[in-house]
Amino acid sequence: MTTIAIIGAGAGLGLAVARRFGREGFTVALIARNQTRVDNLAATLTAEGIGARGFIANVRDADSLTGALTLAAEQLGPIEVLQYSPLPAKEFMRPVLETVAEDLVGPVEFSIYGPVTAAHLVIPGMRSLGRGTFLFINGASAVRPGATVTGTSIAFAGESAYAQLLHDALAPEGIHVAQLIIPQGIGGGEPSHEPDTLAETLWTIHTNRDEFRTYAAPLV
C-alpha cells in the first residue's frame, strides 16, 4: 500500500483529491498547519472507508515539513504521490511598485524552499518503489506574471522552473513531475475548476504520465 501526501490539504481540492486517489487504494497523508482541520478531514475520509491521517507542518519551516513527511511515510506507507498545493498568503500579493525585497522572503520560502525540501525528502522512497508522481498546483501567475500579485508571480515562476528541471531529471527513473495551472481559481461555478473535476484531472495526469504542464482551462 502506498500513500499520497497532500501538502496544503483543505476541504476543497485537497479533500476531492484524497477521495479520488483513495478510491484507487491509496492511503492519504493530509498535511497543513492546523491539526484540527486535518484531523477532521481524516475522520471524514476514514468514515468513507479511505485510510487517512493528518499531520501538521509549515512549508516555510523545513524541519516541520520534513518531520511531517517522514511520519507520514512511517505510519501510512511509502509516499508514491506528492501534491504541493498550499494556499499562498494574501500578503504575498502586493502590487509591483509597492513590493520591496523583504516582501519576497515569504513567497520564496513558501513556493521554492518548501517544494525543494519536500522533493528531497520523498525522492529516495520513490526510487525504492521504482515509480512516483509529483503534482505541483499553481495559479495563472506561474506562467503569466500579474502586476498586482508580485510575490506569487515571482515565487511561482521559481517553483515552475524547479518543477520543470525536476521533471527532466527524474523522468528516466520512472518518476513523473507535473504542474497543473488553474487559471481562474478553484470553484466559483466554473465547471472545469470545481474540486471534483480538478481531482479527476490530477488522477489523469498521474496515470497518463506524459506532459509536464496541464491547464485546467485556457488562459484568457
Side-chain angles (χ1 to χ4, degrees), residues 4 6 9-10 12-30 41-42 45 48 50-52 83 199 202:
I4 176 171
I6 302 172
L13 180 60
L15 183 59
V17 171
R19 283 173 168 147
R20 183 64 186 90
F21 280 74
R23 291 202 302 270
E24 304 294 335
F26 281 84
T27 55
V28 182
L30 302 152
L41 293 174
L45 292 166
E48 297 173 7
I50 296 170
Q83 177 173 306
L202 288 164

Side-chain angles (χ1 to χ4, degrees), residues 1-209:
M1 185 177 295
T2 57
T3 300
I4 176 171
I6 302 172
I7 298 174
L13 180 60
L15 183 59
V17 171
R19 283 173 168 147
R20 183 64 186 90
F21 280 74
R23 291 202 302 270
E24 304 294 335
F26 281 84
T27 55
V28 182
L30 302 152
I31 301 173
R33 290 184 298 172
N34 186 294
Q35 186 72 64
T36 300
R37 181 204 302 173
V38 291
D39 285 348
N40 288 341
L41 293 174
T44 297
L45 292 166
T46 299
E48 297 173 7
I50 296 170
R53 187 168 297 180
F55 304 87
I56 56 169
N58 181 346
V59 299
R60 296 176 61 185
D61 181 337
D63 288 340
S64 76
L65 184 55
T66 297
L69 289 168
T70 299
L71 277 177
E74 290 175 351
Q75 296 180 10
L76 299 179
I79 295 171
E80 180 181 347
V81 180
L82 178 77
Q83 177 173 306
Y84 194 86
S85 54
L87 186 66
K90 290 183 179 179
E91 58 264 29
F92 295 172
M93 305 177 196
R94 300 182 187 278
V96 63
L97 295 180
E98 297 176 14
T99 299
V100 298
E102 289 80 1
D103 293 327
L104 300 179
V105 173
V108 168
E109 290 178 341
F110 187 90
S111 295
I112 300 176
Y113 293 175
V116 173
T117 296
H120 277 270
L121 193 283
V122 302
I123 285 171
M126 291 181 178
R127 283 174 166 159
S128 295
L129 289 171
R131 64 187 186 277
T133 303
F134 287 91
L135 299 170
F136 291 91
I137 315 298
N138 294 106
S141 61
V143 291
R144 181 183 290 172
T148 61
V149 289
T150 305
T152 54
S153 293
I154 292 170
F156 280 178
E159 181 181 340
S160 297
Y162 176 67
Q164 177 76 69
L165 294 169
L166 208 60
H167 171 273
D168 297 343
L170 293 175
E173 301 183 47
I175 298 173
H176 183 51
V177 181
Q179 181 186 51
L180 176 63
I181 301 294
I182 307 174
Q184 301 169 32
I186 298 169
E190 176 63 37
S192 64
H193 288 56
E194 290 301 316
D196 287 345
T197 303
L198 294 169
E200 189 63 42
T201 299
L202 288 164
W203 176 254
T204 299
I205 291 170
H206 166 65
T207 53
N208 285 359
R209 315 181 68 75

